[in-house]
Amino acid sequence: MASDASGWYARLDHECSDRLEQLSVWLDSWEEAIRHRLPIAATLPSHWPILPAGLLSDPGAVLEHLLSRHEAERDGRSPRGAHSTPGRLIESILADELKNTQRKARKAPPATLSLAAMPPGFRAYAERFNENVVRGSGDSEEVSEADGAQTRSGIPIPFADPAVGGGVVPSRAIRIHVLRSDGYDACEIREDTCRLLQGMQMADASEAAVTCTRRRLLLVLARAGLVDLDGEGDESRIGRREAEAILEDGVRCADVLRGEWPWDEAPRLLVSRPPWLRIKDRFRGHPEGSQMRKELSRELRDTKERDGNLRFAALRGNINLYRLFLERSMQLVREGCRIRMVVPDALLREKSSIALRKLMVERNEWNSSWSFPEPQRVFPGASQGVLVVGVTVGGSTEMMTSFSPLEVNEISPNSGLDNKAPFLELERGPWSVWTDMSWAVPKMPRDPYLRRAVLKAIDELADQPRLGEEGNWLNPNGRPIRVRVGEIDQTNWSSNISDWKIGSGGVPFIRGAHFCLEDGDVRINHPGYDTEIEDGAIERSQALWNGPIESRGHSRVACQAIVNAQKERRLRWAVVPPDCVLGNSVNFLELPEGVLDSLAEEHGSFDEGLLFVAAQLNSEALDLWSRAWAANNNVNNYEIESLPFPPPSTESALNYALR
């Protein structure tokens, strides 16, 4: 089905290359379909390609996809990576967030007897009784509505999305509003719908996105029978002109990262799926892309609040827009109110997000996270892991509940998250020790037995000295141990790398593919050291170096730097021979001279000492630790230097068995 959809967009480009025209025609056809109660396929222009069945049921998703392609092209990026946000995910988030705001339809009041008709002796008693009933009714619905905190249908207002895109968040909120309004009379529903629309604060920096969202919400309301597309409305429907006027105020074009929030009142609930885009990847194909990226980066770094302080405290590394939107949202939402945001699950463990996690934990209440690993493919056509964070603005975090790893079938548009979903409660004290207050969130397996094993390994290793620290057992004095990347950049030096052939000049070139796990042991499987490797084997490919860089002339402890998350072992350490060179898909330890001398003295030879170190680094406990804190498939230098490194005598940690 995905390939059919992808093919349809490609055929559409052939028939209509103007992406803004695509959007306009799609919206017009959608309106005609609603007006005449027809499937949208019946109202599309005849020269457009036939709409596949998989795209018939959700016109909003197609709109978002068309819009994403337009925005990518405008930036100079490829539209191939464009995709829509799954409406089911957003509706599940809203269902979970609003589960405690459900309102019931008002029941008809019971029959009453006039006080005047009662005997005089009962009147005073009846008056006191009625007063107590009224005072003690505790009708939170009336109170909530009176202070403007939420709609009758239970949606907190103002309700915001600072990166509204094609309008999936507000459209799904309207759907929930309609379902919850069942049982009210038509006038009450109309009034409450106006309250909801007037309480919306939807912003986007793209004019096209704003236009699409306004139109989409109008059509969603019309399909629900809440807007009169052709008239001035009536007691049950809002007239088109009135609805458009409200939506014009509630959906605005604004760059909220660099500019001000265009509404006076702070939101009570903010739900968003902001762009997942690094600034260095933006404008990549644009003729002036380099200058545009520099300018955008500079403006974001220099943006200040009215008090003169910089707006973004968590700007680190390669700036990704989603991180900025999350930090900005914590500034916009009123204290004690809520944020739900869909972001990459790399946020949980990557080094560049430490400052943002600190902000979430130390200055706000990070309540929950829903983590969907890559294989779940939450976004059709995208393999990236997905995270839903839940934050209450202000205060600090004493405990965060991490739901992970989740499966797509564990979310429901009706109830939110399945109550049997696996979770881990991270209490502030132990959590701070585990992570040295970086507030990373461990990646946990689903199996309860394996979860216990991972937690046991984390508990045993958390307070151990780190590999890159001075004072561990291997390096009690002198320069710290450092992790280096292999000396050969495989891309820049590709002309000097060739397949291994007997009799060819050069030296062995070792890359990640040459690390082999066999019966629990890691070894180097390279044709320079094993003549039995068959012709055509991947180990013979790109295995020979004939460039100017020479081998180090001594053995090294090295590991595979990129390991598929599905592999049975993440840490793969081996001793590489002295006559080879290493590609940048391999990391190695730079051991101080004093460490090398002591290893040789203790173990009888230099190489035997290195083999001993590699064995310690390949312990099962460290592998469990590494898996728990891995941000991605890269076993990077920072991660290795941060590995706990207990002394060999700590058998419970090094010779770890699942138990």
Side-chain angles (χ1 to χ4, degrees):
M1 193 65 69
S3 61
D4 288 346
S6 177
W8 183 80
Y9 290 110
R11 293 191 298 274
L12 176 60
D13 288 342
H14 181 74
E15 296 294 338
C16 177
S17 59
D18 188 321
R19 300 195 190 277
L20 284 176
E21 185 181 344
Q22 292 176 3
L23 288 165
S24 178
V25 171
W26 183 262
L27 286 163
D28 289 343
S29 300
W30 191 0
E31 180 168 335
E32 283 302 300
I34 291 172
R35 183 177 275 111
H36 300 293
R37 300 182 181 275
L38 294 170
I40 193 169
T43 61
L44 290 172
S46 59
H47 66 279
W48 274 37
I50 297 174
L51 198 65
L55 299 180
L56 282 170
S57 59
D58 193 351
V62 177
L63 176 71
E64 288 175 64
H65 197 96
L66 293 172
L67 179 64
S68 297
R69 284 155 37 96
H70 162 71
E71 302 292 353
E73 184 182 58
R74 188 185 65 168
D75 278 358
R77 295 179 284 115
S78 171
R80 291 183 177 272
H83 51 260
S84 59
T85 305
R88 185 170 180 268
L89 174 64
I90 297 300
E91 204 158 343
S92 300
I93 294 168
L94 289 169
D96 187 75
E97 187 64 36
L98 303 175
K99 60 188 176 186
N100 295 321
T101 67
Q102 180 69 59
R103 297 297 180 226
K104 296 180 180 180
R106 183 185 299 158
K107 296 180 179 179
T112 58
L113 179 66
S114 170
L115 288 177
M118 289 184 173
F122 287 97
R123 289 180 190 173
Y125 173 79
E127 287 173 347
R128 289 196 303 273
F129 179 80
N130 287 341
E131 185 180 348
N132 290 337
V133 169
V134 171
R135 185 182 297 124
S137 63
D139 195 341
S140 61
E141 176 186 351
E142 297 299 328
V143 173
S144 181
E145 289 175 35
D147 65 12
Q150 66 182 38
T151 63
R152 190 187 300 271
S153 58
I155 299 175
I157 52 177
F159 172 51
D161 184 348
V164 71
V168 62
V169 169
S171 68
R172 297 291 164 154
I174 288 173
R175 180 180 294 190
I176 291 173
H177 164 76
V178 171
L179 291 172
R180 289 183 166 201
S181 296
D182 186 40
Y184 292 110
D185 64 46
C187 290
E188 289 176 321
I189 296 174
R190 186 190 190 283
E191 179 187 352
D192 203 43
T193 301
C194 286
R195 184 183 294 117
L196 173 61
L197 297 180
Q198 290 163 350
M200 283 188 175
Q201 297 178 345
M202 306 290 143
D204 203 284
S206 164
E207 287 278 8
V210 169
T211 299
C212 289
T213 295
R214 288 172 177 170
R215 187 83 177 277
R216 176 181 185 172
L217 298 186
L218 185 76
L219 297 179
V220 169
L221 290 163
R223 193 177 187 283
L226 297 174
V227 162
D228 180 3
L229 289 176
D230 300 309
E232 297 300 315
D234 50 35
E235 64 178 10
S236 63
R237 295 180 300 168
I238 308 167
R240 180 170 190 146
R241 284 190 297 180
E242 182 183 358
E244 287 177 337
I246 298 173
L247 290 171
E248 186 176 351
D249 183 68
V251 185
R252 301 187 192 181
C253 189
D255 183 348
V256 302
L257 295 181
R258 289 177 286 181
E260 297 301 319
W261 188 240
W263 293 273
D264 294 330
E265 193 175 2
R268 283 188 172 86
L269 174 63
L270 185 151
V271 180
S272 185
R273 204 284 284 185
W276 301 2
L277 182 62
R278 295 181 301 179
I279 290 180
K280 74 173 199 177
D281 295 327
R282 195 169 186 186
F283 315 120
R284 187 165 290 279
H286 197 283
E288 300 176 8
S290 178
Q291 183 59 37
M292 294 171 73
R293 284 193 297 274
K294 290 178 182 176
E295 183 68 18
L296 177 59
S297 180
R298 183 191 61 78
E299 288 185 14
L300 289 168
R301 293 184 185 278
D302 294 342
T303 299
K304 295 181 179 179
E305 297 289 9
R306 294 175 180 175
D307 60 6
N309 291 322
L310 291 174
R311 173 169 289 174
F312 298 109
L315 267 174
R316 297 289 189 279
N318 292 326
I319 305 172
N320 197 309
L321 293 179
Y322 83 82
R323 293 207 294 261
L324 302 186
F325 272 103
L326 182 50
E327 181 173 359
R328 181 70 169 130
S329 296
M330 289 184 280
Q331 299 166 1
L332 295 174
V333 173
R334 68 180 68 193
E335 189 167 352
C337 291
R338 296 279 294 157
I339 296 169
R340 284 289 188 100
M341 192 165 285
V342 183
V343 299
D345 77 341
L347 167 70
L348 296 177
R349 287 171 290 276
E350 64 184 359
K351 183 182 179 182
S352 54
S353 289
I354 289 177
L356 183 58
R357 292 197 298 270
K358 284 180 175 288
L359 185 62
M360 294 167 65
V361 171
E362 297 169 8
R363 295 172 57 185
N364 297 275
E365 294 182 59
W366 184 3
N367 307 110
S368 66
S369 63
W370 298 359
S371 180
F372 301 86
E374 291 181 12
Q376 289 301 305
R377 295 186 176 271
V378 176
F379 287 78
S383 60
Q384 192 168 2
V386 174
L387 174 71
V388 181
V389 295
V391 178
T392 301
V393 174
S396 62
T397 305
E398 295 304 319
M399 186 177 71
M400 193 275 284
T401 305
S402 170
F403 296 90
S404 173
L406 296 177
E407 298 175 350
V408 174
N409 60 11
E410 289 177 316
I411 57 172
S412 166
N414 298 318
S415 57
L417 193 62
D418 192 308
N419 58 14
K420 295 182 180 178
F423 68 93
L424 174 67
E425 291 182 334
L426 293 168
E427 296 183 15
R428 187 183 182 101
W431 189 14
S432 68
V433 174
W434 287 359
T435 65
D436 195 24
M437 299 186 71
S438 74
W439 309 113
V441 178
K443 181 188 295 183
M444 303 295 292
R446 283 186 69 89
D447 182 85
Y449 174 71
L450 294 177
R451 289 173 77 90
R452 288 194 296 270
V454 171
L455 290 173
K456 181 176 177 63
I458 291 174
D459 256 349
E460 291 181 351
L461 293 173
D463 59 353
Q464 296 290 332
R466 305 303 164 111
L467 178 63
E469 292 178 351
E470 295 183 25
N472 59 48
W473 66 269
L474 183 59
N475 183 40
N477 302 297
R479 268 189 325 115
I481 295 168
R482 289 289 176 254
V483 182
R484 304 301 184 194
V485 178
E487 54 269 18
I488 308 300
D489 187 305
Q490 294 172 218
T491 301
N492 294 338
W493 292 93
S494 59
S495 61
N496 296 103
I497 305 169
S498 58
D499 296 346
W500 186 270
K501 295 179 182 178
I502 297 176
S504 300
V507 299
F509 175 72
I510 294 179
R511 54 192 178 89
H514 293 120
F515 286 74
C516 175
L517 183 65
E518 217 172 63
D519 298 325
D521 295 324
V522 184
R523 66 180 182 89
I524 300 300
N525 191 32
H526 189 283
Y529 313 114
D530 185 354
T531 58
E532 296 184 1
I533 296 176
E534 298 179 355
D535 290 341
I538 190 172
E539 289 84 1
R540 285 186 173 272
S541 174
Q542 298 182 3
L544 182 68
W545 171 253
N546 55 18
I549 298 175
E550 298 181 356
S551 62
R552 291 294 180 98
H554 59 81
S555 302
R556 290 176 280 178
V557 179
C559 74
Q560 189 174 349
I562 302 175
V563 181
N564 189 297
Q566 308 309 310
K567 294 282 188 182
E568 62 180 286
R569 175 181 282 275
R570 177 172 170 82
L571 294 181
R572 298 177 174 219
W573 291 93
V575 177
V576 298
D579 63 341
C580 69
V581 296
L582 303 180
N584 58 349
S585 59
V586 175
N587 294 321
F588 67 95
L589 298 186
E590 189 174 81
L591 298 173
E593 202 169 314
V595 171
L596 296 175
D597 292 340
S598 64
L599 284 171
E601 182 179 349
E602 185 173 348
H603 295 278
S605 73
F606 175 68
D607 280 0
E608 286 296 323
L610 295 184
L611 286 169
F612 175 76
V613 172
Q616 310 311 306
L617 291 169
N618 280 327
S619 75
E620 193 165 11
L622 284 187
D623 195 65
L624 290 172
W625 174 281
S626 178
R627 285 178 173 278
W629 303 112
N632 47 48
N633 292 342
N634 295 326
V635 186
N636 58 48
N637 296 8
Y638 166 77
E639 177 187 340
I640 297 172
E641 290 178 358
S642 300
L643 280 175
F645 203 48
S649 60
T650 312
E651 295 186 2
S652 62
L654 290 174
N655 303 315
Y656 192 81
L658 297 179
R659 53 189 185 270

